[in-house]
Amino acid sequence: MTRIVVAAAIIDEMSAKLLLAQRNYPPEVAGLWELPGGKVEDGETWQAALEREIAEELGMTIEAGQQFGAAVGLSVELELVALRARPVGGAPRALDHAALRWVDAAGLRAMADAGELVPADTTWLEDLLELLA
Ligand code: DCP
């Protein structure tokens, strides 16, 4: 059975900035930046899974919303989907990542152009730029 990995586009609406997280592992993607998230557990909604993963990895509370963009097949077993999210409590901390960064649309495009995003997440570039516009 396919397992779903959910990833969060956490957008601060006041500053129109998106939260990116720099991966520590595995070596192929270490140093690259992603929308943070993780695997959905059995019986969990996508939104609940994402809220749990973000609390664990970033120590912050979010409200997860609707899916946007296309789903990305990562392997035979894993499919990656992106959900919109709103920060509701706490400042993010890199508990599981190398670093965190808030980027505006120009910053996101510059990082994509420089090849600094995790490959799968580049699928959502145009959708993310629209969310930040
Ligand atoms: N992934 C991705 N883009 C994201 C989030 C995840 O391409 N924005 C990929 C990386 C992994 C898979 O999804 O191949 C699972 O992501 P996790 O961060 O959950 O991977 P872990 O290595 O942490 O898995 P585990 O939770 O089993 O340790």
Side-chain angles (χ1 to χ4, degrees):
M1 226 191 74
T2 306
R3 281 195 72 179
I4 301 292
V5 180
V6 281
I10 303 170
I11 293 176
D12 173 56
E13 292 194 349
M14 295 297 286
S15 61
K17 285 186 176 172
L18 168 73
L19 186 60
L20 291 178
Q22 188 178 31
R23 284 196 74 101
N24 268 319
Y25 64 92
E28 311 86 82
V29 290
L32 299 181
W33 296 78
E34 68 174 1
L35 301 187
K39 299 187 184 86
V40 177
E41 306 283 357
D42 288 343
E44 221 176 19
T45 63
W46 291 1
Q47 281 77 17
L50 194 55
E51 289 167 3
R52 173 184 52 74
E53 287 283 353
I54 295 304
E56 287 171 9
E57 291 184 8
L58 304 181
M60 76 186 296
T61 310
I62 60 160
E63 185 178 85
Q66 292 306 300
Q67 182 183 0
F68 69 92
V72 185
L74 291 173
S75 67
V76 258
E77 292 124 27
L78 285 183
E79 186 164 67
L80 178 67
V81 300
L83 305 186
R84 301 180 60 149
R86 210 165 57 82
V88 293
R93 286 172 291 148
L95 303 175
D96 200 42
H97 286 89
L100 303 177
R101 185 186 284 179
W102 290 98
V103 292
D104 61 13
L108 177 64
R109 192 181 281 287
M111 288 177 73
D113 288 347
E116 291 173 349
L117 303 182
V118 167
D121 295 35
T122 60
T123 313
W124 304 317
L125 179 61
E126 295 306 323
D127 303 285
L128 289 167
L129 291 170
E130 222 167 273
L131 290 177
L132 289 172

